[in-house]
Each structure stands twice: as C-alpha cells, then as structure tokens.
Amino acid sequence: MSSPSTRSGAGPPPAADRRPGPSRRGAGAPVTHLAFQAGSRFDRPVEVEADYVVVGTGAGGAAAAVVLARGGASVAMVEAGPWRDPADYPASMWGTLRDMMDGWGVNLAIGRALWPIVQARLVGGTTVINSAIAIRTPGEVVREWRDDHGFPDSDALAAAIWRHQDAIEAELHVSPTPRASAGRSNDLAARAGAALDLNDHAMHRAIRDCAGSGACMQGCKHDRKRSTNVTWVPEALAAGATLLSCAPVARVELRGRRAVGVRGAFVHPTDQRRGKRFVVRARKAVVIAASATHSPALLHRSGIRSRALGRHFRAHPGVGVFGVYDTPVDMNSGATQGWSSTALRATKGLKLETLAIPLELVASRLGGAGSQLIGRLGDYRHLAMWAVAVRAEAVGRVVTTPTGKPVVFYDIGRRDMERLRDGAHVIAQMHAAAGARAILPGVFGLPYSLAPDELGKLAAGPTDPRAWTAIMTHLFGGCVMGADPRRAVCDPRGRVHGYDGLVVADASALPTTLGVNPQHTIMALARVRAEELLAA
Ligand SMILES: Cc1cc2nc3c(=O)[nH]c(=O)nc-3n(C[C@H](O)[C@H](O)[C@H](O)COP(=O)(O)OP(=O)(O)OC[C@H]3O[C@@H](n4cnc5c(N)ncnc54)[C@H](O)[C@@H]3O)c2cc1C
Ligand code: SF4
C-alpha cells in the first residue's frame, strides 16, 4: 500500500496544542501530527494524501483508523479538537467543559424540554470523557436491524461484531470493576441490588488498574482509562498514519458522486482563531466518524443528497437520583461507574448504573442559591448518585443551520417518561434499601428531599419532561444504515447510498438504540467497516 504524503504551505508547522502528541514512532522516525497552524485564507493550504481519510478520532473513527493502519493502508485521521495528554487534562470541571467538551457541554436537544447533549471534542472524542463501560451488542438488536432495516445477513454481522468485541476486550483491558477500587457508592449499590434482586454485576470497563478517582468525566489523569487517544490513535500513528488535530472538516470533497477527500481550516484550540486551510485527499475512501450530531451536519454541508439525512436520531436519556447517607460515601473516591443492573432491560428498556459526578455538577444538580445551596452542599460527602437511562422510543432530528452547525430537535413522549420515572423510582428504592436517610429526586414539583417511606410521591411524579433534569450521552442515528435509500442514508455496510468511497462508521450510522452502552458496538462495527474496506 502507498504511504501518506504531506505538504505544508510554509515550512514546519508551529503546533499550538499543549502537546504535539507522541513524538516518535520507532527509532528516529518522526510521527506525523499536524496541529493548529497559523495562516490566512490566502496561504496555500496544508495538503495531505492517503488511501483512507478518517474524520473524527472517537470510538468509531479511531477503531476504523487503527484497523486500516494495521492492514497496511495509509491513513489520515482528521480531528476537530486538540491533542491532550492525560497529564494535561484540566483539574476542574470548568476546565473540562472549556477544553474537552463540544460546545462547552451545553448543546441542547430542543423540544418540550431542553436537555443537554454531552459529547467531547478532542483527539479520542467522547471516549476520553466517558466511563469506558464496554457491554457487548445484544443479539436481538442485530435481529431488529435485519427485520426492520433490511440487513441481509444479520447472523454473519453479529458474529463479526462479537469477534471484534473479543479482540477489543483484550486490547483495551475490559474487565469487571475490581472490589478494591469500587468505593463505597458502588458497594452500597451492590448491597441494594442484592436486597432487591436486581440481577446486578460489577461494571465491565476498558480500564487498566483503575485508581478509583471517580473522575472519568474529566478524563483519566491517572492514564488508566483506555480511551482511544492513548491507545488506537498512537498505534495508528506508530503504524505510519497521519493525524491532523484542531482540524474541523468543513466538507467532504466530491468528484461527481465519488468522495475524494475533505477540506477545512485549522482552528486554534483556545482562542478559536481560524488558521491555515487544509485539504486531505483520499485515494480510496473517506470514513465519516464525527458523531451522531456532527456526521449528519458534515454530510449536509457537503451537499450529500438523502431524504433520510439527519432523521432517525435516537437516544438513551438518563436521570440521576441522590441518596443521602448518615456516614460519608465520598462518591468521588471509587470507580465512576462500577456497578450496573440489567434486570429491567428486557421488560422496560431501563439500565441502572452508579455514577459519580464532580462537585461542580453536584452543585448545579442540587439547585438553590446562596446559603441554601451552601447548606445543601454540606451533605456532599454523604451523597451517592445512581442513575437510570431509558431505551427511548422517541425519534428526533438533526437539522443543520445555515452556518453549518447541527441542532437536535428531540421530543420525548409520555410512555418514555413513564418508564424513566419508573426507573428513577427503582433507584430511589435502592437508596432506601442501602440505608439512605433521604432521597433527593431532583424533580420539579416534588419535595427537594423524600424520606424512604415517601417514595410513592416519586412513583406518582410528573411525566412532563420539563420537570426532569435529564442528560443525553448515548446518541444514535442521523446517518442511519438500512437497505431502503428512502429511509436510510447508508446501506447496511455503512456506504452512503448513491455515492462511492464514502462510508459512515460511528454512532450516527446505528439504525436503532441499543439498550446498552454504545461504545463497544460502535468500535466493533467501525472495525468491521475497516475490514470491508481493506477487502474491497
Ligand atoms: C459523559 C459520557 C459518558 C459516557 N460513558 C459511556 C460508557 O461508559 N460506555 C459507553 O459505551 N458509552 C459511553 N458514552 C457514549 C460513548 O462515549 C459514545 O456513544 C461514543 O463515544 C460515540 O462514538 P462516536 O465515534 O460516534 O463519536 P465520538 O466518540 O464523540 O467521536 C467523534 C469525534 O469526531 C470529532 N469531530 C466532530 N466534528 C468533526 C469535524 N467536522 N471534523 C473532524 N472531527 C470532528 C469530535 O471532536 C470527536 O473527537 C458516554 C458519553 C458521555 C458523554
Ligand atoms: S475512576 Fe478515576 S482512575 Fe478509574 S478510570 Fe476513571 S478517572 Fe481513571
């Protein structure tokens, strides 16, 4: 296979990232990582050429890139956000929102309620800020893809996904959360799970030797989490790939109906200054993996014609419920998400999990102001947060604004809300079973604090989504796969209907929700896509 060639308009690039990434691949060979480069729109653009151009380096993009690079292909990874080493991750949640999140973590799904959509924007994508939970793709989901979306050979696809999940589990050290690093919040949840017969288990996560700092959402400063910025992206670079960071792709370049590359301009990671333009040419294919919101917007900006583009957006909205305990829980001392129950997955589409969040987010979730908030925060060390996410039936839409930005419209219905409320009630019952003295439901219209014998109020609580502080972290669709081009952007192999050399390999391609945490499926499917490209 041919090697990538790079050509910069004016001498060596001054990297503005805090770190330019790993500096060597083998003895003496420089790694090709082009970060922000100052320039004007009149300068000659930075030009790169490779067999495959992969847009985005999160769960889908990095998985596809590393398999392509291992297969001997030349690969250029183009990532909107900057490179950050674990030692450089910000110390505060404020810094995390500023430096690592897409849109400061406050992009909103617009509907009856305004719920935040959380995604990351840096090398490694959302794998940097997630909890590294790795749950295998349920067989019934792939059968749904066959029955409802025309996937031709679902058994072979499921087998390929699981084969890659075997490999991913070995490569990324997926293992159950060890007792030693679980911490008290997870221990209490395990006690409640046993008491309520919740078929619970220690969470399986892609983490090596978790230090139990309860801070996964801020990136693992201990470098224990196997996010793609510390695993597959460096491996792809070592295998000869090129990385452009701080490089949001503006559009896919088309020659007729064939994708031949991407273009955009570097953006400074802190002051957002626009830098030099770049053009990355693809000799064989462009792989889109910019996330469930950004991939549809990118295809829109590129003039891709598909009736289904931006449609079929789905999610697992989640809510957290605090328990207040007599003795300190210290939820940020222990695994961020070390416990899970699947007892209600088949019957209600609910997933129960522990979740440690930082003090700043606790403050925003407790509500109140001034001395009232200070008083509430006095309980901080005694709080445990456990969460429920629902496999929602609601279907939304990603619309691209005239300036090219994605906006999500998403309205959740009553049936989904009833299930979410049921899940929150189960979480509250768990807190009661674990010995909490009070439960803080966080639902408008209910008391701030409920005694364990008052949980019926939560069970009968409001189903208006505006009353709930939910969050959307598991996103699906926007460029969905399916056999029918009127209903799907891509065919069941991720190839954009009606175009050549254009493949989608991220959450946006998933035609349904999964009912389980998505990264394992996204990674495995992206690797399947890469194998198919190599074999083509
Ligand atoms: C707080 C949180 C916790 C989570 N915990 C878990 C968990 O424990 N387990 C799990 O399975 N899932 C978890 N998830 C969800 C999971 O991380 C995502 O489903 C997954 O990362 C999505 O993969 P992706 O490749 O579609 O997008 P991402 O991983 O978000 O990657 C997309 C990448 O594309 C880049 N990009 C965007 N636009 C452009 C552009 N125009 N040009 C170039 N690059 C671009 C972005 O910067 C980003 O790096 C969590 C999510 C959040 C927010
Ligand atoms: S809990 Fe802490 S040590 Fe463990 S992976 Fe998350 S951030 Fe790293």
Side-chain angles (χ1 to χ4, degrees):
M1 302 259 183
S2 38
S3 61
S5 58
T6 59
R7 184 152 60 89
S8 167
D17 274 343
R18 290 189 183 166
R19 293 272 180 93
S23 57
R24 315 203 72 74
R25 62 162 188 263
V31 161
T32 312
H33 174 187
L34 306 174
F36 173 81
Q37 302 186 40
S40 80
R41 66 197 175 92
F42 302 111
D43 290 342
R44 240 178 47 198
V46 173
E47 292 177 36
V48 176
E49 186 169 305
D51 291 338
Y52 298 99
V53 176
V54 179
V55 180
T57 55
V66 79
V67 168
L68 290 168
R70 284 176 191 168
S74 71
V75 179
M77 299 174 278
V78 190
E79 166 56 52
W83 180 290
R84 293 195 191 282
D85 280 340
D88 291 336
Y89 295 159
S92 68
M93 191 64 208
W94 162 265
T96 304
L97 295 171
R98 182 195 57 208
D99 293 348
M100 297 163 86
M101 299 285 192
D102 184 36
W104 286 74
V106 291
N107 294 325
L108 297 174
I110 297 173
R112 201 165 148 72
L114 301 174
W115 286 346
I117 288 184
V118 184
Q119 299 184 107
R121 192 176 181 87
L122 74 166
V123 175
T126 308
T127 70
V128 181
I129 58 151
N130 75 16
S131 300
I133 297 164
I135 311 289
R136 288 185 167 225
T137 314
E140 69 267 18
V141 168
V142 187
R143 285 192 291 278
E144 271 178 53
W145 297 353
R146 176 195 63 197
D147 297 343
D148 301 339
H149 301 275
F151 278 55
D153 192 351
S154 61
D155 288 346
L157 179 61
I161 289 173
W162 293 329
R163 171 170 55 81
H164 277 288
Q165 288 177 336
D166 284 340
I168 291 168
E169 287 166 18
E171 289 169 30
L172 302 188
H173 299 269
V174 173
S175 55
T177 305
R179 280 301 299 273
S181 57
R184 185 147 187 258
S185 175
N186 291 304
D187 285 347
L188 286 168
R191 189 194 300 172
L196 299 181
D197 201 11
L198 283 177
N199 185 25
D200 61 316
H201 56 85
M203 190 73 90
H204 286 236
R205 303 174 307 153
I207 295 173
R208 192 180 53 205
D209 302 330
C210 176
S213 68
C216 287
M217 209 189 289
Q218 292 167 257
C220 184
K221 287 172 90 67
H222 301 275
D223 198 6
R224 309 294 169 90
K225 180 164 51 176
R226 303 292 80 204
S227 43
T228 61
N229 60 326
V230 297
T231 52
W232 291 334
V233 173
E235 185 188 333
L237 286 170
T242 299
L243 170 66
L244 282 76
S245 66
C246 310
V249 171
R251 53 183 297 135
V252 177
E253 290 287 285
L254 298 170
R255 190 173 302 140
R257 290 241 158 190
R258 176 167 196 88
V260 293
V262 300
R263 66 168 59 235
F266 290 96
V267 171
H268 193 280
T270 52
D271 64 18
Q272 307 302 310
R273 183 164 31 103
R274 201 179 134 106
K276 252 186 190 306
R277 291 168 297 141
F278 61 82
V279 176
V280 188
R281 297 203 178 81
R283 287 188 283 258
K284 295 187 173 167
V286 175
V287 178
I288 305 292
S291 82
T293 60
H294 287 288
S295 290
L298 172 55
L299 294 190
H300 268 299
R301 291 197 298 271
S302 308
I304 297 297
R305 298 215 183 109
S306 166
R307 275 200 224 173
L309 191 52
R311 294 182 183 272
H312 312 297
F313 173 90
R314 292 179 163 84
H316 293 158
V319 296
V321 176
F322 284 116
V324 190
Y325 292 79
D326 284 332
T327 51
V329 176
D330 291 326
M331 68 172 147
N332 297 106
S333 176
T336 306
Q337 297 203 263
W339 174 94
S340 170
S341 161
T342 50
L344 303 174
R345 185 161 74 80
T347 51
K348 296 201 164 196
L350 296 175
K351 202 166 50 73
L352 312 177
E353 298 171 345
T354 47
L355 174 63
I357 59 173
L359 176 63
E360 297 96 316
L361 293 189
V362 172
S364 66
R365 170 63 174 68
L366 291 180
S371 56
Q372 183 190 45
L373 178 59
I374 299 293
R376 289 175 174 180
L377 281 172
D379 279 332
Y380 174 60
R381 293 193 58 207
H382 295 253
L383 295 176
M385 176 182 259
W386 302 337
V388 57
V390 62
R391 188 180 186 201
E393 293 168 359
V395 181
R397 189 169 178 193
V398 183
V399 170
T400 307
T401 66
T403 58
K405 300 256 184 289
V407 176
V408 172
F409 290 89
Y410 184 82
D411 252 321
I412 192 161
R414 188 182 171 90
R415 277 212 316 228
D416 288 335
M417 283 309 304
E418 283 171 353
R419 288 190 292 138
L420 199 57
R421 183 185 61 184
D422 290 351
H425 182 235
V426 173
I427 296 281
Q429 288 176 311
M430 283 176 56
H431 280 306
R437 78 170 125 88
I439 287 91
L440 313 182
V443 179
F444 183 77
L446 293 183
Y448 170 74
S449 173
L450 295 173
D453 61 0
E454 292 181 312
L455 298 185
K457 291 183 183 167
L458 177 55
T463 53
D464 185 333
R466 291 172 300 178
W468 293 75
T469 314
I471 184 169
M472 315 245 286
T473 58
H474 296 177
L475 316 171
F476 309 87
C479 305
V480 296
M481 295 180 285
D484 181 353
R486 288 166 306 179
R487 292 176 55 211
V489 175
C490 313
D491 72 10
R493 290 177 62 172
R495 299 171 297 199
V496 176
H497 282 294
Y499 293 82
D500 292 323
L502 189 56
V503 170
V504 181
D506 63 4
S508 73
L510 298 177
T512 63
T513 52
L514 300 172
V516 298
N517 311 63
Q519 80 163 9
H520 212 12
T521 299
I522 295 166
M523 288 173 168
L525 251 182
R527 288 166 60 123
V528 172
R529 296 289 90 102
E531 278 185 345
E532 289 164 351
L533 284 169
L534 289 170

Short mmCIF file of all heavy atoms in Angstrom, two decimals, residues 128 130-132 181 205-226 332 334-337, ligand 2:
data_model
loop_
_atom_site.label_atom_id
_atom_site.label_comp_id
_atom_site.label_asym_id
_atom_site.label_seq_id
_atom_site.Cartn_x
_atom_site.Cartn_y
_atom_site.Cartn_z
N VAL A 128 -12.68 9.88 25.72
CA VAL A 128 -11.81 10.49 26.73
C VAL A 128 -12.61 10.82 27.99
O VAL A 128 -12.10 10.72 29.11
CB VAL A 128 -11.14 11.77 26.17
CG1 VAL A 128 -10.22 12.40 27.22
CG2 VAL A 128 -10.36 11.46 24.90
N ASN A 130 -15.74 9.50 28.74
CA ASN A 130 -16.77 8.55 29.14
C ASN A 130 -16.27 7.64 30.26
O ASN A 130 -15.14 7.80 30.74
CB ASN A 130 -17.35 7.80 27.93
CG ASN A 130 -16.43 6.72 27.38
OD1 ASN A 130 -15.49 6.30 28.02
ND2 ASN A 130 -16.72 6.29 26.16
N SER A 131 -17.11 6.72 30.68
CA SER A 131 -16.73 5.87 31.81
C SER A 131 -16.15 4.54 31.36
O SER A 131 -15.96 3.64 32.18
CB SER A 131 -17.95 5.63 32.72
OG SER A 131 -18.43 6.85 33.20
N ALA A 132 -15.92 4.41 30.06
CA ALA A 132 -15.24 3.24 29.49
C ALA A 132 -16.03 1.94 29.68
O ALA A 132 -15.46 0.85 29.58
CB ALA A 132 -13.83 3.09 30.07
N SER A 181 -11.13 -1.13 43.94
CA SER A 181 -11.25 0.27 43.51
C SER A 181 -12.70 0.71 43.37
O SER A 181 -12.98 1.79 42.86
CB SER A 181 -10.50 0.48 42.18
OG SER A 181 -10.99 -0.40 41.20
N ARG A 205 -15.46 -2.54 32.25
CA ARG A 205 -14.95 -1.27 31.72
C ARG A 205 -13.58 -1.46 31.07
O ARG A 205 -12.82 -2.35 31.46
CB ARG A 205 -14.81 -0.24 32.86
CG ARG A 205 -16.11 0.02 33.61
CD ARG A 205 -15.88 0.92 34.81
NE ARG A 205 -14.83 0.39 35.66
CZ ARG A 205 -14.05 1.13 36.45
NH1 ARG A 205 -14.22 2.43 36.50
NH2 ARG A 205 -13.12 0.57 37.18
N ALA A 206 -13.29 -0.60 30.12
CA ALA A 206 -12.00 -0.66 29.42
C ALA A 206 -10.99 0.18 30.19
O ALA A 206 -10.67 1.32 29.82
CB ALA A 206 -12.16 -0.15 27.99
N ILE A 207 -10.53 -0.37 31.30
CA ILE A 207 -9.66 0.38 32.20
C ILE A 207 -8.60 -0.58 32.75
O ILE A 207 -8.93 -1.71 33.12
CB ILE A 207 -10.48 0.98 33.37
CG1 ILE A 207 -11.46 2.03 32.83
CG2 ILE A 207 -9.56 1.60 34.43
CD1 ILE A 207 -12.43 2.57 33.84
N ARG A 208 -7.36 -0.11 32.78
CA ARG A 208 -6.31 -0.95 33.36
C ARG A 208 -5.96 -0.40 34.73
O ARG A 208 -5.55 0.74 34.86
CB ARG A 208 -5.08 -0.93 32.45
CG ARG A 208 -4.04 -1.98 32.79
CD ARG A 208 -2.85 -1.91 31.86
NE ARG A 208 -2.32 -0.56 31.82
CZ ARG A 208 -1.63 -0.06 30.81
NH1 ARG A 208 -1.40 -0.76 29.75
NH2 ARG A 208 -1.17 1.18 30.86
N ASP A 209 -6.17 -1.19 35.78
CA ASP A 209 -5.80 -0.80 37.15
C ASP A 209 -6.44 0.51 37.57
O ASP A 209 -5.74 1.47 37.93
CB ASP A 209 -4.27 -0.66 37.30
CG ASP A 209 -3.54 -1.94 36.94
OD1 ASP A 209 -4.13 -3.01 37.14
OD2 ASP A 209 -2.40 -1.84 36.44
N CYS A 210 -7.75 0.58 37.53
CA CYS A 210 -8.46 1.81 37.93
C CYS A 210 -8.01 2.26 39.31
O CYS A 210 -7.95 1.47 40.25
CB CYS A 210 -9.96 1.54 37.93
SG CYS A 210 -10.94 2.93 38.50
N ALA A 211 -7.67 3.56 39.41
CA ALA A 211 -7.23 4.10 40.70
C ALA A 211 -8.41 4.58 41.53
O ALA A 211 -8.22 5.08 42.64
CB ALA A 211 -6.25 5.23 40.46
N GLY A 212 -9.62 4.47 40.99
CA GLY A 212 -10.81 4.82 41.77
C GLY A 212 -10.90 6.29 42.14
O GLY A 212 -11.26 6.63 43.26
N SER A 213 -10.64 7.17 41.16
CA SER A 213 -10.72 8.60 41.47
C SER A 213 -12.09 9.17 41.17
O SER A 213 -12.32 10.36 41.39
CB SER A 213 -9.66 9.37 40.68
OG SER A 213 -9.99 9.33 39.31
N GLY A 214 -12.99 8.36 40.64
CA GLY A 214 -14.36 8.82 40.38
C GLY A 214 -14.42 10.05 39.49
O GLY A 214 -15.31 10.87 39.65
N ALA A 215 -13.52 10.16 38.55
CA ALA A 215 -13.45 11.40 37.76
C ALA A 215 -13.38 11.11 36.26
O ALA A 215 -12.79 11.89 35.51
CB ALA A 215 -12.25 12.23 38.19
N CYS A 216 -13.99 10.02 35.82
CA CYS A 216 -13.87 9.65 34.40
C CYS A 216 -14.36 10.77 33.48
O CYS A 216 -13.84 10.94 32.38
CB CYS A 216 -14.67 8.39 34.12
SG CYS A 216 -13.92 6.88 34.76
N MET A 217 -15.37 11.52 33.92
CA MET A 217 -15.95 12.53 33.03
C MET A 217 -14.97 13.67 32.73
O MET A 217 -15.17 14.45 31.82
CB MET A 217 -17.22 13.10 33.66
CG MET A 217 -18.23 13.56 32.62
SD MET A 217 -19.59 14.46 33.35
CE MET A 217 -20.46 13.17 34.18
N GLN A 218 -13.92 13.77 33.54
CA GLN A 218 -12.92 14.82 33.30
C GLN A 218 -11.69 14.26 32.59
O GLN A 218 -10.67 14.94 32.48
CB GLN A 218 -12.52 15.44 34.64
CG GLN A 218 -13.68 16.22 35.25
CD GLN A 218 -13.42 16.58 36.69
OE1 GLN A 218 -13.95 15.96 37.59
NE2 GLN A 218 -12.58 17.58 36.88
N GLY A 219 -11.79 13.02 32.10
CA GLY A 219 -10.62 12.37 31.51
C GLY A 219 -9.80 11.75 32.63
O GLY A 219 -9.76 12.29 33.74
N CYS A 220 -9.15 10.64 32.34
CA CYS A 220 -8.42 9.94 33.42
C CYS A 220 -7.00 10.47 33.51
O CYS A 220 -6.12 10.08 32.74
CB CYS A 220 -8.41 8.43 33.15
SG CYS A 220 -7.62 7.54 34.50
N LYS A 221 -6.78 11.35 34.49
CA LYS A 221 -5.44 11.92 34.67
C LYS A 221 -4.44 10.86 35.10
O LYS A 221 -3.23 11.05 35.01
CB LYS A 221 -5.48 13.05 35.70
CG LYS A 221 -6.14 14.32 35.18
CD LYS A 221 -6.34 15.35 36.26
CE LYS A 221 -5.17 16.30 36.40
NZ LYS A 221 -4.97 17.18 35.26
N HIS A 222 -4.95 9.74 35.61
CA HIS A 222 -4.05 8.64 36.01
C HIS A 222 -3.66 7.76 34.82
O HIS A 222 -2.93 6.80 34.99
CB HIS A 222 -4.73 7.76 37.06
CG HIS A 222 -5.14 8.50 38.30
ND1 HIS A 222 -4.28 8.73 39.34
CD2 HIS A 222 -6.31 9.09 38.64
CE1 HIS A 222 -4.91 9.41 40.29
NE2 HIS A 222 -6.14 9.64 39.89
N ASP A 223 -4.22 8.07 33.66
CA ASP A 223 -3.92 7.31 32.44
C ASP A 223 -4.28 5.82 32.58
O ASP A 223 -3.58 4.95 32.08
CB ASP A 223 -2.43 7.46 32.07
CG ASP A 223 -2.18 7.08 30.61
OD1 ASP A 223 -3.15 6.83 29.88
OD2 ASP A 223 -1.00 7.02 30.21
N ARG A 224 -5.38 5.55 33.27
CA ARG A 224 -5.80 4.14 33.42
C ARG A 224 -6.88 3.79 32.39
O ARG A 224 -7.00 2.66 31.97
CB ARG A 224 -6.35 3.89 34.84
CG ARG A 224 -5.45 4.36 35.97
CD ARG A 224 -4.15 3.57 36.00
NE ARG A 224 -3.19 4.17 36.91
CZ ARG A 224 -3.09 3.89 38.21
NH1 ARG A 224 -3.88 2.99 38.76
NH2 ARG A 224 -2.19 4.49 38.96
N LYS A 225 -7.69 4.78 32.05
CA LYS A 225 -8.78 4.52 31.10
C LYS A 225 -8.20 4.34 29.71
O LYS A 225 -7.34 5.11 29.28
CB LYS A 225 -9.77 5.69 31.13
CG LYS A 225 -10.92 5.50 30.20
CD LYS A 225 -12.08 6.44 30.48
CE LYS A 225 -11.72 7.89 30.60
NZ LYS A 225 -12.89 8.74 30.78
N ARG A 226 -8.69 3.34 29.00
CA ARG A 226 -8.14 3.04 27.67
C ARG A 226 -8.92 3.79 26.59
O ARG A 226 -9.52 3.19 25.69
CB ARG A 226 -8.15 1.53 27.40
CG ARG A 226 -7.42 0.65 28.41
CD ARG A 226 -5.91 0.83 28.39
NE ARG A 226 -5.50 2.02 29.12
CZ ARG A 226 -4.37 2.68 28.91
NH1 ARG A 226 -3.54 2.28 27.99
NH2 ARG A 226 -4.06 3.73 29.62
N ASN A 332 -16.68 10.33 44.92
CA ASN A 332 -15.54 10.55 44.02
C ASN A 332 -14.29 9.80 44.47
O ASN A 332 -13.20 10.01 43.96
CB ASN A 332 -15.26 12.04 43.88
CG ASN A 332 -16.44 12.75 43.25
OD1 ASN A 332 -17.17 13.46 43.92
ND2 ASN A 332 -16.67 12.50 41.96
N GLY A 334 -13.56 6.15 44.32
CA GLY A 334 -14.08 4.87 43.84
C GLY A 334 -14.31 4.96 42.34
O GLY A 334 -14.14 6.02 41.74
N ALA A 335 -14.69 3.86 41.73
CA ALA A 335 -14.90 3.84 40.28
C ALA A 335 -16.09 4.74 39.93
O ALA A 335 -17.12 4.71 40.61
CB ALA A 335 -15.17 2.42 39.82
N THR A 336 -15.96 5.50 38.85
CA THR A 336 -17.04 6.42 38.46
C THR A 336 -18.34 5.67 38.23
O THR A 336 -19.40 6.08 38.70
CB THR A 336 -16.65 7.17 37.16
OG1 THR A 336 -15.38 7.78 37.36
CG2 THR A 336 -17.67 8.22 36.79
N GLN A 337 -18.26 4.59 37.49
CA GLN A 337 -19.45 3.78 37.22
C GLN A 337 -19.06 2.31 37.38
O GLN A 337 -18.72 1.64 36.41
CB GLN A 337 -19.99 4.05 35.82
CG GLN A 337 -20.45 5.49 35.63
CD GLN A 337 -21.45 5.63 34.50
OE1 GLN A 337 -21.08 5.96 33.39
NE2 GLN A 337 -22.72 5.35 34.78
S1 SF4 B 2 -12.35 6.15 38.05
FE1 SF4 B 2 -10.58 7.55 38.06
S2 SF4 B 2 -8.77 6.20 37.91
FE2 SF4 B 2 -10.55 4.97 37.33
S3 SF4 B 2 -10.59 5.20 35.09
FE3 SF4 B 2 -11.99 6.76 35.91
S4 SF4 B 2 -10.72 8.60 36.08
FE4 SF4 B 2 -9.32 6.85 35.86
#
